[in-house]
Amino acid sequence: MSTDGRFLVWGDNTLARRLASELINSYGVPVTVIVRAADADQAPDIADLEPRTGDPELRPVLVVAARLTPDVLGRAGVADATAVALVERDDVANVDAAMMVRELNPTARIVVRVFNPILAEAVTEMLGDCGVLSGSEIAAPAFVAAALGDDVPTYVKLTDEFLVTAHRDEHPDPDEVVCGLAVLEGRTEPETLPAADADADLLLVRRYGEPPRPAPRPGRQPLRVTRLVLGRRRLRYALAGVAGLLGLSTVLLALVRDLNPWEAGYLAVVTALGGIEGEVTGSGLEHVVLATLALAGVALVPFITVLIVEAVVTARLAVNAGALTRPVSNHVVIVGLGNVGTRVLRELHGFGVDLVCVDRSADARGVAVARELGVPVVVGNGNSAETLRAASVATARALLVLSTDDVSNLETALLGRALHGPGLRVVLRLYDEGFARRVKRSFDITLSRSVSYLAAPAFAAALFGREVIDAIPVGRRVLLVAELPVGAGCDLEGRHSPEVNRPNEVRLIAIRTGRIGQTLWTVPERRRLVRTDRLIVVATRAGLAGLLTRTRSNPDAAPLPEPEPLRLLTHQSWPRRATDGDAP
């Protein structure tokens, strides 16, 4: 694909900023970014992007427009654009923009950010040369892996194989090891794709069959009114007070009237409920006890009735709203049910993990999903102690904070750790790398991820028509599994397959040949690459950018020679067997 034209990006969010930086600094292509306003969201930071090479031609050009129209696209140069990325947060707006782009430029490569999978499939079929990606889908596995630690491996599903991450201490079969992914032990930051597989602690391993499916989760438990009613604190206190009063009255009546405990208890209860008429006989202490019981009964009966009704109504409302209705422990609390929170919710639920979700809005995208899955939802601010207590964060195994506000996420994390204690596993969604490092040093919160950092490389590769199959989280970093064609006349054509590898950047794991259905998982070292090959690699962000350059087609390359036409042999053209009379 030619890269002579300009690349267009529509969006002023964090993904747009990361994508623009990736295109400028990793691929060295000029970028125009369309934003709503010069001071909207990340627009000022996009305008201030400086190319690492210092080339002024690579500084981003900003086009400001409150809404995207064909005229705005025309001003941005869409007619001559090589590729266009539409990465606003609104699915419908992105799809509408994609249709406008296709009308104005029938040949440009279009990459659209879409969350809804049904809409994504329709867009792919409708617009031809179009890639449809979801940033939340790319980033979700990294948050799941951070929340569960080593309990859940990362699966990479290919068309004819699936791969899985494994630690060396799990002793995987050496014949199944595809490559070493990272050196983790004794390092503050992992070393990815080491030169020697033997040095790696984290491995990529082939597996046969299908990935294990989680066991089906039990359905939602029916509402138990007794449990919910007795769970109300004020009601428990009221019932305890009544029981104490009845107990004391029973003892006093047994002493004054010389009754056995059963008789004294019966007299105390029926008197409190108004079932005994007053008597003038008996001692003054007996009169005081009976009068006190009668007065207490008059006050307590309606009070307890109100508490019971309140508890039942509140419990019913909680169940209808999907809120937590029973004590839970060893669960994961998810704060923030936007696109990323919804994806993480589905993945963790699929692994059979007990969950409690929190969001400030009952209309958030993931609230309906949580209720459909039978996952409790607490509606309230995540940085409120009352909300986190309602989510039972004190007994949770992990807290995932996934809203889009870095400062609010940190506040929620610190509050959750204060309510739980230092043993809580906290995973933060943080955009700013510098802020993440300072949080790690100051608050010892080591697990943070950036959605845009994880997703931007896949969007950039898609703009060049290359497929990123999956992403493997390694700490805050990410390794990309990608499939790239060997372009005609590219730098790698005719070279031996090991020359694809670059330590700490790129590792070739398989080659799809030009033969239908053939994939070489063990590539001979002396095999030369041809333009009908497709490379399956694991790469860092920088490594993938470099490999795209090395596999890019050369327009001056000689075409493949035309195959000779098949010639039908007749009996006249069959070769004759030599005889003694034939000339030598």
Side-chain angles (χ1 to χ4, degrees):
M1 171 178 160
S2 172
T3 57
D4 296 337
R6 182 168 285 271
F7 282 58
L8 265 59
V9 177
W10 179 47
D12 49 32
N13 48 50
T14 55
L15 178 56
R17 180 191 171 187
R18 295 272 194 202
L19 179 55
S21 177
E22 192 88 10
L23 291 171
I24 292 170
N25 292 312
S26 296
Y27 296 92
V29 295
V31 177
T32 295
V33 184
I34 305 173
V35 298
R36 291 170 296 168
D39 58 351
D41 202 352
Q42 299 291 315
D45 293 327
I46 295 172
D48 291 339
L49 283 174
E50 289 288 345
R52 295 194 189 105
T53 60
D55 184 354
E57 296 293 326
L58 292 181
R59 291 200 63 180
V61 175
L62 255 63
V63 174
V64 178
R67 56 188 295 268
L68 194 67
T69 64
D71 289 340
V72 172
L73 287 168
R75 281 196 289 125
V78 69
D80 300 321
T82 299
V84 181
L86 306 167
V87 294
E88 275 293 341
R89 295 186 177 94
D90 188 331
D91 284 4
V92 175
N94 286 339
V95 173
D96 183 38
M99 291 188 288
M100 283 192 283
V101 171
R102 181 55 74 225
E103 290 174 358
L104 297 171
N105 188 332
T107 61
R109 170 73 174 168
I110 302 175
V111 175
V112 190
R113 176 185 185 180
V114 176
F115 175 85
N116 188 307
I118 298 175
L119 188 58
E121 184 177 351
V123 171
T124 304
E125 295 176 356
M126 177 179 61
L127 295 179
D129 186 14
C130 177
V132 181
L133 300 177
S134 167
S136 57
E137 184 178 15
I138 295 168
F143 287 97
V144 171
L148 302 182
D150 297 334
D151 295 343
V152 177
T154 300
Y155 291 95
V156 179
K157 187 69 174 72
L158 304 174
T159 54
D160 52 358
E161 197 80 29
F162 79 86
L163 312 176
V164 62
T165 58
H167 288 263
R168 188 170 294 279
D169 55 15
E170 298 173 21
H171 306 293
D173 186 341
D175 293 335
E176 296 181 354
V177 174
V178 175
C179 71
L181 294 176
V183 182
L184 305 174
E185 294 297 328
R187 296 175 182 267
T188 55
E189 292 292 336
E191 178 192 353
T192 54
L193 300 177
D197 289 343
D199 297 336
D201 309 308
L202 185 64
L203 307 172
L204 189 63
V205 180
R206 292 178 69 187
R207 288 285 186 262
Y208 300 96
E210 289 293 327
R213 299 182 182 277
R217 295 167 59 91
R220 197 170 185 174
Q221 295 296 319
L223 174 65
R224 297 183 181 180
V225 175
T226 303
R227 181 185 65 201
L228 294 173
V229 168
L230 294 180
R232 304 284 294 177
R233 182 179 300 179
R234 288 193 300 168
L235 184 56
R236 291 201 305 269
Y237 290 160
L239 293 176
V242 170
L245 178 62
L246 291 176
L248 177 61
S249 301
T250 298
V251 172
L252 292 175
L253 288 174
L255 294 175
V256 172
R257 288 197 172 186
D258 193 23
L259 301 174
N260 62 46
W262 169 255
E263 293 171 336
Y266 169 76
L267 180 60
V269 170
V270 295
T271 302
L273 296 177
I276 298 292
E277 295 184 0
E279 298 182 7
V280 295
T281 58
S283 66
L285 178 60
E286 183 180 348
H287 293 165
V288 170
V289 171
L290 294 175
T292 302
L293 284 172
L295 289 173
V298 171
L300 286 175
V301 169
F303 177 66
I304 293 175
T305 301
V306 169
L307 288 179
I308 291 175
V309 171
E310 178 193 10
V312 172
V313 171
T314 303
R316 288 289 182 187
L317 291 175
V319 170
N320 292 337
L324 189 63
T325 58
R326 59 183 175 86
V328 291
S329 60
N330 199 36
H331 59 292
V332 174
V333 178
I334 302 174
V335 179
L337 290 178
N339 289 352
V340 177
T342 303
R343 296 281 189 189
V344 172
L345 161 65
R346 286 192 181 277
E347 290 208 19
L348 287 173
H349 182 271
F351 281 117
V353 177
D354 287 330
L355 301 168
V356 177
C357 297
V358 176
D359 198 281
R360 68 180 63 192
S361 172
D363 298 324
R365 185 189 293 272
V367 171
V369 175
R371 290 172 179 167
E372 176 189 342
L373 298 176
V375 174
V377 178
V378 178
V379 178
N381 288 328
N383 52 8
S384 162
E386 181 181 357
T387 300
L388 292 182
R389 287 194 188 97
S392 295
V393 74
T395 56
R397 64 189 286 192
L399 171 64
L400 279 148
V401 192
L402 305 177
S403 80
T404 55
D405 187 329
D406 283 8
V407 175
S408 177
N409 287 350
L410 176 60
E411 185 180 357
T412 301
L414 295 176
L415 183 57
R417 195 163 64 176
L419 294 173
H420 180 283
L424 180 65
R425 189 178 184 90
V426 177
V427 182
L428 288 180
R429 176 182 178 179
L430 296 179
Y431 165 77
D432 188 81
E433 290 289 324
F435 185 58
R437 286 193 294 270
R438 291 188 289 274
V439 166
K440 181 178 179 179
R441 287 196 305 266
S442 302
F443 301 105
D444 194 29
I445 297 178
T446 59
L447 299 174
S448 64
R449 303 289 182 265
S450 167
V451 174
S452 58
Y453 182 88
L454 295 166
F459 278 82
L463 285 171
F464 289 88
R466 304 301 187 255
E467 180 183 5
V468 174
I469 301 169
D470 216 329
I472 301 174
V474 181
R476 192 172 166 85
R477 302 182 183 182
V478 63
L479 294 175
L480 304 168
V481 182
E483 184 172 334
L484 299 85
V486 176
C490 71
D491 179 61
L492 285 177
E493 186 179 18
R495 295 180 180 269
H496 293 113
S497 54
E499 295 185 53
V500 175
N501 299 328
R502 295 279 176 87
N504 306 123
E505 290 188 2
V506 178
R507 178 64 184 271
L508 177 66
I509 60 175
I511 294 179
R512 296 197 195 281
T513 68
R515 297 180 180 178
I516 298 175
Q518 184 184 55
T519 301
L520 303 178
W521 288 96
T522 302
V523 183
E525 291 190 359
R526 303 304 298 172
R527 185 187 186 279
R528 293 185 182 274
L529 301 174
V530 296
R531 62 184 65 178
T532 55
D533 288 339
R534 298 183 66 87
L535 310 179
I536 301 177
V537 300
V538 181
T540 63
R541 299 162 65 242
L544 181 60
L547 187 59
L548 281 172
T549 302
R550 297 165 66 201
T551 57
R552 187 177 300 158
S553 297
N554 182 354
D556 298 327
L560 285 173
E562 291 291 334
E564 294 184 4
L566 294 176
R567 185 164 57 95
L568 181 63
L569 295 177
T570 64
H571 69 279
Q572 289 91 353
S573 59
W574 289 348
R576 293 186 300 151
R577 182 180 300 173
T579 63
D580 293 340
D582 291 332

